[in-house]
């Protein structure tokens, strides 16, 4: 793209027109404002990866499949920068370092088993951390129509709900 943000602006415009359109952004840099705005339009079928991750073909294809199926795929650096930006206020202050780490992995679309393996803890420990994160963010269980993991990530990345 000719300018740094032209592709991101095009993605935002496309998503505004077609809210269910899966979008996987590949960028050289983390553009926090555009990343947060893209996520604010809904996390279903959204991905934001840095171009240097594309060299890991298997991981890239997994992310592409996940986004096409309606999931999320966020580059760890994108998550880190967005969480760091939001950490000065809101519920992130109440999260422990391990809970923030689990939340970063959740934002990358990883399953509990994968998070447990990467953090070298049990799946039960991951489940407990997620339960604590959801409670601290005020995301109580509902009738199952809302995916609380996605809401937790969005609440922190977007600063929604008074956070």
């Amino acid at each position: 793209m000719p300018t740094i943000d032209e592709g991101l602006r095009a993605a935002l415009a496309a998503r505004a027109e077609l809210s269910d359109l899966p979008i996987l952004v590949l960028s050289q840099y983390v553009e926090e404002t555009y990343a947060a705005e893209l996520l604010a339009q809904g996390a279903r079928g959204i991905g934001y990866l840095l171009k240097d991750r594309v060299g890991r073909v298997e991981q890239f294809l997994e992310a592409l499949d996940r986004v096409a199926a309606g999931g999320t795929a966020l580059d760890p650096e994108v998550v880190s920068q967005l969480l760091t930006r939001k950490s000065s206020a809101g519920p992130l202050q109440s999260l422990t370092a391990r809970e923030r780490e689990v939340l970063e992995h959740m934002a990358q679309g990883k399953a509990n088993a994968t998070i447990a393996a990467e953090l070298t803890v049990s799946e039960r420990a991951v489940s407990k951390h997620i339960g604590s994160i959801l409670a601290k963010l005020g995301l109580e269980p509902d009738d199952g129509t809302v995916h609380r993991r996605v809401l937790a990530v969005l609440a922190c990345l977007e600063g929604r709900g008074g956070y």
Side-chain angles (χ1 to χ4, degrees):
M1 292 286 167
T3 64
I4 291 175
D5 64 352
E6 188 171 337
L8 288 165
R9 286 187 286 127
L12 288 168
R15 189 62 181 233
E17 284 288 318
L18 302 167
S19 62
D20 290 336
L21 178 68
I23 293 179
L24 178 59
V25 172
L26 299 175
S27 181
Q28 187 68 34
Y29 308 100
V30 178
E31 296 291 334
E32 292 177 20
T33 302
Y34 289 111
E37 192 173 337
L38 186 61
L39 288 166
Q41 293 181 355
R44 184 163 169 72
I46 292 292
Y48 192 126
L49 300 176
L50 295 180
K51 289 180 180 178
D52 61 349
R53 306 272 190 231
V54 177
R56 300 175 191 152
V57 177
E58 187 175 309
Q59 290 177 353
F60 171 70
L61 292 175
E62 179 184 305
L64 188 59
D65 288 342
R66 188 168 47 243
V67 170
T72 58
L74 298 174
D75 192 283
E77 184 61 28
V78 173
V79 173
S80 179
Q81 285 192 32
L82 289 173
L83 287 176
T84 300
R85 181 178 75 162
K86 296 292 182 189
S87 67
S88 61
L92 284 182
Q93 288 181 319
S94 67
L95 299 181
T96 66
R98 179 60 86 175
E99 288 167 346
R100 284 192 298 273
E101 207 172 10
V102 169
L103 184 56
E104 286 184 28
H105 285 277
M106 288 168 52
Q108 294 168 40
K110 296 178 182 174
N112 288 10
T114 305
I115 296 170
E118 291 183 9
L119 298 179
T120 60
V121 298
S122 69
E123 281 188 62
R124 186 170 180 208
V126 170
S127 292
K128 285 184 176 186
H129 287 306
I130 291 171
S132 179
I133 291 166
L134 297 175
K136 288 178 179 179
L137 296 179
L139 298 170
E140 300 300 324
D142 66 358
D143 61 4
T145 60
V146 177
H147 201 302
R148 294 185 310 147
R149 287 173 70 115
V150 173
L151 291 178
V153 171
L154 288 175
C156 289
L157 295 180
E158 298 168 9
R160 277 177 156 179
Y163 299 130

